[in-house]
Amino acid sequence: MSASGMTAVLVLSPLVGFLINGLRYKKHPANLAGIIASACVFLSFASAIALFAQLLQMPEESRKITVEFFSWLEVDALRVPMAFVIDPLSSLMILIISGVGFLIHLFSIGYMHHDKGAAKYFSYLNLFIFNMLILVLGDSLLTMFVGWEGVGLCSYLLIGFWFTDEQKAAAGLKAFLTNRIGDAAFLLGLFLLFKAFGAISLADLNALAPKIPEASWMGAATLGTLLLFIGATGKSAQIPLYVWLPDAMAGPTPVSALIHAATMVTAGVYMIVRLNGLFSAAPLTLHVIAVVGGLTALLAATIGTTQFDIKKILAYSTVSQLGFMFLAAGVGAYTAAFFHLMTHAFFKALMFLGSGSVIHALHEEQDIRKMGGLKKYLPITYWTFTMGWLAIIGIPPFAGFFSKDEILWQAFSSDLGHPVLWTMGAVAAMFTAFYMTRLMALTFWGESRVSKKLHPHDAPPTMAIPLIVLAVLAMIGGWVGIPHVIAEVLPGHPTNLLGEWLKTVVPEHPHTETLGEHWEWGMMIFSTAAALAIAIITKQIYAKKPSVPENFVKKFPRLHKFIDNKYFVDEFYEKIILQPLVTFSKNLWNSIDVHVIDQTTHLLSDWAQNLGKWIRFIQSGNLQQYALYTVMGLVVLLSYVLLR
């Protein structure tokens, strides 16, 4: 099959699944709907593998397949084709999206088999994959924006899937509206860049970017990239637009795995990595990205230490890990940012699906204070979840160790890096080791606090297989990006495969190497030792001495309340932004709508009604009266003619 044919199959297969299940959502049983949806995504995955293999056979400098299906917009100098680009970067993204997406679909067959709306759920999942593929394959900002908006719509549909519950419906609406703020900024950035450079093609924008980095906040590249980054803070849940993501837990758990791991939340990171040439021309924007990423990683990690909802802990973990990716992108380490995006897709999808297995076993219980001792009841879930835990806290040789430490090193050593940025990342990593071990201890270790009415059971095959596959990826996925300092001491000196694969499309920001390898080894050993020590201490405390954290809370009640209430950010937004906006809107409605528009329409309607009443008296139905009106009219007409 030709490249265009494989690309069509890749993109359209999930759309076909959406239509099949969506049009017959009331008739398809859950298992049939799940099989159809999973088969369609697997077909996309097979096409992604075939396209990846085709790129492998091409010369390194020309690994790029462009498929143009039709001309979309042609207005004066603006020509936008519906074209997709498969290159080393997008080829990895489509493998992640379709591969991890397929595993999540497969897991959902077991998780949603009891739900009456399963066919509709699977149709939404397929539509999500379809839009995400458009986002990463689009060759222009406008095509990317189509997928960008599409995944926003699908997140609204999936987060609020159980919309009969008001809180779940509100969570979907919150995600939708928060993302609209970022999307408006994205559009403004698109318009500004088109006006400045006369292009919206991603390749053209990278090529037309100023060769000398801009030093002014008013530069076209700086303003344009700042606006695009605001869009990214919405999609990828960074300060100040991160507040929707923790509430996104309202949807079915596999939805959380899809949104938080391989698809929507990675869109902002992917966009920056894809436009690396343009962003490198705007170092002021990169500084903002690095600071926001570091602060988000730290803020979300601290909030995760006080949560007891297993899914919300993982949600704040996602926000924090995304902060690491933006920290890397902000210091010009685009490959490191993408590396962590990839490894995070493996271990975070694993942990969300693992939490879904726990919730499924405990009949929708999500409070980890009501768990404990589940290791013996859920062995498959426990051991696979353990692989994800070791990966996310950065224990070698698991995937998260390689990508997280690469980010910390780049944050310290890059020309755009700074010790403060490294400190924020390092402290966030330590908090990660604490709250993830706390989750493990309260869920799987220690004494059981599970209600005696419940009889926990491990995941069925359709749920267990995705867990096992993702656990293997969490174990070995990091070896594709092995740092050179580690490779040098290993037999055969293995190559950094990821860096070699991406180097033609993601060149690193130029660095001035002023630090020796001993610095990198030292930081790596320090962060690993700190994570390991914190994990061991936390396990001992929460599994054997739960009174210690209770005493800490009693000793520092205000601090705990402040963090437990998520720094009152939602309350701040409500009081400072939302309530004044609602009040202003009501006043505007009362003064303009009610007193101007409504009054005007009422006066016009009254006038028309009164005129109609007057005319109604003329229409009496009396023929003699009509003859009189006719004679009077003729008299007036003749008088006018004669007197003229």
Side-chain angles (χ1 to χ4, degrees):
M1 187 183 292
S2 66
S4 59
M6 287 187 288
T7 305
V9 172
L10 169 73
V11 176
L12 295 179
S13 291
L15 182 62
V16 171
F18 160 72
L19 293 173
I20 293 173
N21 281 323
L23 293 174
R24 298 180 61 83
Y25 73 94
K26 290 185 178 180
K27 297 183 179 180
H28 281 179
N31 287 345
L32 175 61
I35 291 171
I36 292 171
S38 300
C40 289
V41 178
F42 183 78
L43 195 57
S44 285
F45 181 53
S47 300
I49 293 175
L51 288 167
F52 181 80
Q54 189 167 331
L55 285 181
L56 274 175
Q57 298 171 2
M58 299 169 68
E60 183 179 282
E61 64 280 358
S62 58
R63 282 177 178 156
K64 183 177 181 180
I65 301 170
T66 301
V67 179
E68 182 176 330
F69 289 105
F70 55 88
S71 180
W72 181 20
L73 288 176
E74 289 190 29
V75 182
D76 291 334
L78 175 64
R79 180 181 181 274
V80 183
M82 181 54 69
F84 297 143
V85 173
I86 300 95
D87 62 6
L89 180 61
S90 61
S91 66
L92 291 180
M93 280 300 295
I94 60 177
L95 284 172
I96 294 169
I97 293 166
S98 58
V100 176
F102 166 70
L103 295 174
I104 292 170
H105 276 70
L106 184 61
F107 183 93
S108 295
I109 295 175
Y111 191 86
M112 295 293 290
H113 70 91
H114 63 286
D115 198 289
K116 294 181 180 179
K120 183 165 63 174
Y121 164 84
F122 280 109
S123 71
Y124 290 164
L125 280 189
N126 273 184
L127 186 62
F128 202 117
I129 297 293
F130 167 72
N131 282 294
M132 193 65 197
L133 289 171
I134 290 177
L135 190 155
V136 300
L137 290 174
D139 79 326
S140 70
L141 278 176
L142 196 57
T143 310
M144 176 184 280
F145 188 71
V146 172
W148 191 276
E149 287 295 279
V151 294
L153 169 64
C154 293
S155 69
Y156 165 72
L157 295 172
L158 287 167
I159 294 168
F161 181 74
W162 289 316
F163 57 86
T164 52
D165 185 320
E166 288 188 9
Q167 289 186 339
K168 291 178 170 57
L173 185 60
K174 182 178 181 179
F176 188 78
L177 293 178
T178 305
N179 272 274
R180 297 291 72 71
I181 299 171
D183 295 349
F186 186 104
L187 273 179
L188 291 174
L190 187 157
F191 298 150
L192 191 152
L193 290 171
F194 176 68
K195 181 175 177 58
F197 300 107
I200 57 174
S201 164
L202 301 174
D204 290 346
L205 287 172
N206 279 330
L208 295 170
K211 304 306 177 187
I212 301 176
E214 293 179 347
S216 169
W217 288 101
M218 300 308 295
T222 301
L223 282 176
T225 52
L226 270 175
L227 288 167
L228 292 181
F229 172 61
I230 294 172
T233 64
K235 275 292 175 288
S236 297
Q238 297 295 286
I239 294 172
L241 300 180
Y242 71 93
V243 291
W244 68 271
L245 194 60
D247 290 340
M249 300 301 97
T253 303
V255 170
S256 303
L258 189 64
I259 293 177
H260 289 227
T263 56
M264 178 172 165
V265 296
T266 63
V269 180
Y270 172 79
M271 181 265 293
I272 293 174
V273 174
R274 170 60 75 188
L275 286 171
N276 60 82
L278 184 64
F279 277 84
S280 292
L284 294 175
T285 299
L286 290 180
H287 288 316
V288 173
I289 294 172
V291 171
V292 170
L295 288 174
T296 304
L298 189 55
L299 178 84
T302 58
I303 296 175
T305 63
T306 62
Q307 302 300 304
F308 288 101
D309 184 316
I310 187 171
K311 288 171 67 176
K312 282 209 170 184
I313 296 171
L314 294 176
Y316 280 107
S317 168
T318 297
V319 176
S320 182
Q321 296 303 308
L322 288 165
F324 277 96
M325 299 175 208
F326 280 100
L327 173 60
V331 298
Y334 302 111
T335 300
F338 186 82
F339 186 24
H340 200 57
L341 182 157
M342 183 182 73
T343 60
H344 178 261
F346 301 150
F347 61 71
K348 185 53 63 65
L350 167 63
M351 300 185 86
F352 265 115
L353 295 185
S355 72
S357 179
V358 170
I359 295 167
H360 186 265
L362 299 181
H363 303 282
E364 305 308 314
E365 180 58 66
Q366 295 182 199
D367 192 334
I368 58 177
R369 291 171 294 189
K370 298 179 182 179
M371 298 179 187
L374 289 177
K375 174 183 177 180
K376 62 181 178 181
Y377 298 109
L378 313 174
I380 296 175
T381 302
Y382 168 70
W383 285 110
T384 53
F385 201 97
T386 300
M387 300 302 105
W389 165 62
L390 292 171
I392 195 172
I393 68 174
I395 302 301
F398 295 88
F401 161 74
F402 295 104
S403 56
K404 183 251 315 177
D405 274 281
E406 181 66 16
I407 290 173
L408 292 178
W409 170 244
Q410 295 287 352
F412 189 86
S413 65
S414 167
D415 288 351
L416 297 174
H418 194 278
V420 173
L421 295 174
W422 175 86
T423 302
M424 286 193 290
V427 174
M430 293 177 193
F431 275 116
T432 302
F434 170 74
Y435 69 74
M436 291 308 305
T437 307
R438 170 179 174 267
L439 185 154
M440 285 290 298
L442 292 177
T443 304
F444 295 105
W445 300 327
E447 297 181 1
S448 175
R449 299 176 298 281
V450 178
S451 172
K452 294 182 180 179
K453 297 179 181 179
L454 301 176
H455 302 284
H457 55 86
D458 212 347
T462 54
M463 296 168 66
I465 292 171
L467 291 175
I468 294 169
V469 173
L470 288 168
V472 172
L473 291 172
M475 291 171 62
I476 66 174
W479 288 92
V480 298
I482 187 168
H484 73 280
V485 293
I486 296 180
E488 288 178 357
V489 300
L490 293 177
H493 306 301
T495 304
N496 186 322
L497 298 175
L498 182 66
E500 288 295 313
W501 178 252
L502 293 178
K503 67 182 182 181
T504 57
V505 289
V506 191
E508 286 300 314
H509 187 82
H511 288 54
T512 303
E513 294 292 343
T514 57
L515 301 173
E517 291 184 356
H518 60 281
W519 275 91
E520 187 171 357
W521 274 110
M523 289 182 173
M524 196 182 302
I525 293 170
F526 169 78
S527 61
T528 303
L532 192 58
I534 290 171
I536 292 172
I537 295 170
T538 305
K539 178 183 178 182
Q540 291 295 109
I541 291 174
Y542 279 93
K544 297 182 179 180
K545 298 179 180 179
S547 60
V548 173
E550 293 174 4
N551 292 334
F552 180 86
V553 171
K554 292 177 181 178
K555 191 173 182 180
F556 301 99
R558 291 184 179 179
L559 176 63
H560 180 267
K561 182 180 179 181
F562 187 52
I563 300 175
D564 186 41
N565 285 279
K566 297 156 284 190
Y567 298 102
F568 296 98
V569 172
D570 282 295
E571 290 79 1
F572 173 81
Y573 286 171
E574 177 74 24
K575 185 174 182 179
I576 303 301
I577 299 175
L578 296 180
Q579 287 183 1
L581 184 60
V582 169
T583 302
F584 174 74
S585 300
K586 285 182 177 179
N587 291 334
L588 197 64
W589 163 76
N590 186 55
S591 58
I592 303 298
D593 278 42
V594 175
H595 289 91
V596 177
I597 298 175
D598 288 354
Q599 289 295 331
T600 302
T601 55
H602 290 162
L603 287 172
L604 290 173
S605 64
D606 289 344
W607 178 81
Q609 190 176 26
N610 292 331
L611 180 63
K613 287 179 180 178
W614 184 78
I615 295 175
R616 187 173 62 191
F617 287 114
I618 299 175
Q619 300 293 328
S620 62
N622 189 322
L623 294 178
Q624 291 178 339
Q625 190 175 0
Y626 290 166
L628 176 63
Y629 294 154
T630 303
V631 172
M632 291 173 63
L634 287 172
V635 170
V636 172
L637 182 61
L638 290 172
S639 300
Y640 172 77
V641 172
L642 294 173
L643 294 174
R644 185 176 176 185

